[in-house]
Amino acid sequence: MREMCIEKIAEIGAIARSVGWGSAEILSHYHSQPPGELRIKHKQEGPVTNADIAASEYILRQLRIAFGTQGFGYLSEETYKTQSESDRLGHRWIWIIDPIDGTRAFIRRNFKYAVHIALVYEGRPVVAVVVLPEAGKLYYAHKNGGTFVEDRSGDREWAKVSPRDRLPDLRIVTRRSRKEERLTRLLHRLPGNIEQKLGSIGYKIASIVEQDWDVFISLSGKSAPKDWDLAAPELILTEAGGKLTHIDGTPLVYNQKDVSQWGCLVASNGQCHAQFCHTIATVLADLDRGH
């Protein structure tokens, strides 16, 4: 990242925020339409709507106009299966995009969906935008620059995670799933206050940044979160003082051949991250032994 100066990062961030707000306007329009106006296709990976497609096309078009395709690659949830792997794996700089994180929530007219836009350099995020269109909030971070939240008028304030540092006091949020028994059994044996919520990972990470929650747990089963689910939220969290790692403490690496992030991932306010990861690992080992 040595060749990318601070001024250039700021310029890139300004463009990414503008694109984020533009995509939010598109999604808010679709979100407010009568139910019959939303066209839904059910695929193996999950539902896709005409709103997903419209937002994806807008984001990719605007980023390609601004940055071209020579120095930057692009990985979007809606297009990655139609592009060659070499097109993205051959780039050190890549934009990773989720036009709607939380499509099921969007379809249900729930406000807990988000837009994710991240610029990744050699596998790690350096610029990130997470937009909550219905809340009118945009979260922005760049590497070593902190995290701020911006409203539609352009007013900003810096964001920091909570200082809660005792395991029993932690507020834990994870996805709602009645089908994943292993996750349910894990949650029953953890300290802290636990809630399972509908909605996007971006929304949940934003809630940690807003100090509503302290920990988010992802435990893969038959499927796992993808790069576009995590790249932007990770940087938003870590620049606000939190951490997001595999359960053994190793960092996530993006834009690999497999875009899934398997295993147990923990996002936290960082105050007792290693201790909490160790607790989860101990419980999972116990469960795997049948106890």
Side-chain angles (χ1 to χ4, degrees), residues 55-270:
S56 179
E57 289 177 349
Y58 169 80
I59 294 168
L60 287 170
R61 181 172 63 251
Q62 296 302 313
L63 292 178
R64 284 171 174 153
I65 288 172
F67 302 107
T69 57
Q70 293 301 310
F72 295 86
Y74 297 86
L75 172 59
S76 172
E77 179 180 15
E78 307 309 330
T79 61
Y80 86 103
K81 285 191 172 181
T82 63
Q83 68 181 141
S84 66
E85 286 185 350
S86 61
D87 183 48
R88 61 181 180 84
L89 295 177
H91 288 279
R92 293 191 299 169
W93 295 93
I94 184 161
W95 288 98
I96 299 181
I97 301 148
D98 193 345
I100 305 181
D101 182 49
T103 299
R104 288 185 176 88
F106 183 86
I107 291 169
R108 297 178 189 181
R109 306 294 172 178
N110 189 298
F111 66 91
K112 297 174 184 178
Y113 70 92
V115 180
H116 297 175
I117 302 172
L119 178 60
V120 167
Y121 175 72
E122 294 187 343
R124 298 292 298 147
V126 295
V127 172
V129 169
V130 170
V131 193
L132 305 183
E134 304 312 310
K137 290 184 175 183
L138 180 149
Y139 298 82
Y140 171 78
H142 65 253
K143 187 65 176 175
N144 299 322
T147 295
F148 65 74
V149 56
E150 176 180 278
D151 63 22
R152 284 191 169 93
S153 69
D155 291 337
R156 301 173 184 171
E157 58 182 33
W158 294 100
K160 295 292 290 184
V161 295
S162 81
R164 286 183 283 269
D165 60 0
R166 295 179 63 253
L167 293 188
D169 297 335
L170 295 180
R171 303 192 67 196
I172 302 162
V173 63
T174 187
R175 63 179 175 154
R176 183 182 297 170
S177 175
R178 296 192 180 103
K179 298 180 181 179
E180 297 184 10
E181 182 182 352
R182 192 164 181 254
L183 174 61
T184 301
R185 293 174 67 195
L186 168 65
L187 296 176
H188 283 163
R189 295 177 61 171
L190 291 179
N193 305 293
I194 299 170
E195 287 198 35
Q196 292 178 271
K197 293 283 190 180
L198 178 72
S200 78
I201 291 176
Y203 171 82
K204 294 180 176 76
I205 297 299
S207 295
I208 296 176
V209 170
E210 295 276 8
Q211 302 189 10
D212 296 327
W213 304 96
D214 306 302
V215 177
F216 167 71
I217 301 169
S218 170
L219 183 62
S220 61
K222 293 182 179 179
S223 63
K226 306 297 190 289
D227 283 2
W228 47 80
D229 297 313
L230 294 163
E234 179 186 347
L235 192 64
I236 297 298
L237 176 65
T238 56
E239 287 298 320
K243 291 184 178 180
L244 197 165
T245 69
H246 292 279
I247 196 173
D248 63 359
T250 57
L252 280 65
V253 180
Y254 300 100
N255 194 34
Q256 304 297 291
K257 188 177 179 66
D258 186 354
V259 297
S260 295
Q261 296 286 347
W262 297 98
C264 185
L265 311 175
V266 180
S268 81
N269 65 357

